[in-house]
Amino acid sequence: MNIEVLTLFPEMMEQIFSFSIVKRAREKELVNIHCHQIRDFAENKHGSVDDYPYGGGCGMVMTPQPIFDAHEYVLQNTDLVKSEVRTIYCTPKGRLFSQELAIELAKEESLIFLCGHYEGVDQRVIDELVTDEISIGDYVLTGGELPAAVMVDAISRMIPGVLRENISFQEESLFDGLLEYPHYTRPADFRGLKVPEVLLSGHHKKIQEWRRHKAVQETCLKRPDIIKPDRLTSKDVELINQFNTKE
Ligand code: ADE
């Protein structure tokens, strides 16, 4: 996959994409990420990229020219598949990002992320260049860089080969209605805090049952809103009823 990021802070973005799993995915060329300075495309001699809003009001708006030119540049000078590329504008006004959307976007060949600043970008940019407006949550950040980083991270780990295959499958089912069960590692006794006995038993079936039980319990407690009733087994339903009657 090719990802081009249009930003006013390319050095910051480069840093974020230079660690851990995303770094390894880049080294293996499972994902190619390039960050482009929008300011470099400004035609005015001060390199300014924003201006006052027509109609008045507070804040500044990012002007269309540098963004249109940066966008055209990445379409023409990178390995993007032009006809298929999706241009994502990071904005709190967008559709909410989710694991499902990360999985969907990980299937694309080419993505462009546009990171806005100030009060946002000129509407003509959105109308002409943007295919997807996406928000990472109902709060307003100072710019689109952190949202783009969040999305690129979540998308990258869903590209086949980036994680061990079985993990990504787990993930799909995890977000299919249940939170993950708790994890433990060595030591079995840390300052008197013990790992649940069943996990040390080597009894595979019992471990699976315990994990499912915990997943159902965690989900009921923390995120009952994500439960998909049609994915539950009759044993799960029994458990949920037990939790509910205890309350
Ligand atoms: N830009 C500013 N806030 C944002 C958010 N919550 N999601 C995506 N882009 C943003």
Side-chain angles (χ1 to χ4, degrees), residues 30-192:
L30 294 168
V31 58
N32 300 308
I33 305 174
H34 305 111
C35 304
H36 306 269
Q37 171 58 271
I38 295 172
R39 204 178 290 284
D40 289 347
F41 295 87
E43 276 170 356
N44 64 83
K45 62 174 186 283
H46 303 294
S48 94
V49 290
D50 61 328
D51 211 330
Y52 295 100
Y54 275 121
C58 56
M60 302 291 268
V61 178
M62 285 179 76
T63 56
Q65 178 274 316
I67 300 175
F68 267 75
D69 283 1
H71 192 264
E72 203 161 293
Y73 174 85
V74 297
L75 285 183
Q76 279 169 7
N77 295 279
T78 62
D79 296 330
L80 296 183
V81 182
K82 268 183 233 167
S83 56
E84 291 171 17
V85 65
R86 281 169 81 166
T87 297
I88 296 163
Y89 175 49
C90 306
T91 166
K93 293 203 276 185
R95 158 187 185 195
L96 215 51
F97 190 62
S98 63
Q99 188 64 27
E100 254 169 24
L101 190 47
I103 291 165
E104 178 192 320
L105 292 171
K107 293 178 184 144
E108 298 288 340
E109 278 294 318
S110 310
L111 297 174
I112 299 174
F113 281 88
L114 171 60
C115 308
H117 265 266
Y118 317 111
E119 286 307 300
V121 299
D122 187 288
Q123 184 61 34
R124 288 164 290 188
V125 169
I126 298 169
D127 296 343
E128 294 298 314
L129 307 181
V130 170
T131 57
D132 301 77
E133 293 180 77
I134 306 182
S135 164
I136 60 160
D138 290 336
Y139 40 82
V140 182
L141 297 165
T142 53
E145 278 75 14
L146 294 176
V150 165
M151 289 189 254
V152 168
D153 188 293
I155 292 164
S156 299
R157 58 196 295 286
M158 287 297 106
I159 296 171
V162 171
L163 297 181
R164 275 176 293 126
E165 217 60 50
N166 55 341
I167 296 182
S168 65
F169 284 123
Q170 257 180 29
E171 198 103 15
E172 281 187 74
S173 61
L174 157 67
F175 283 92
D176 210 15
L178 287 182
L179 296 177
E180 228 185 339
Y181 50 80
H183 301 278
Y184 294 88
T185 185
R186 282 188 284 189
D189 183 338
F190 176 69
R191 299 184 180 178

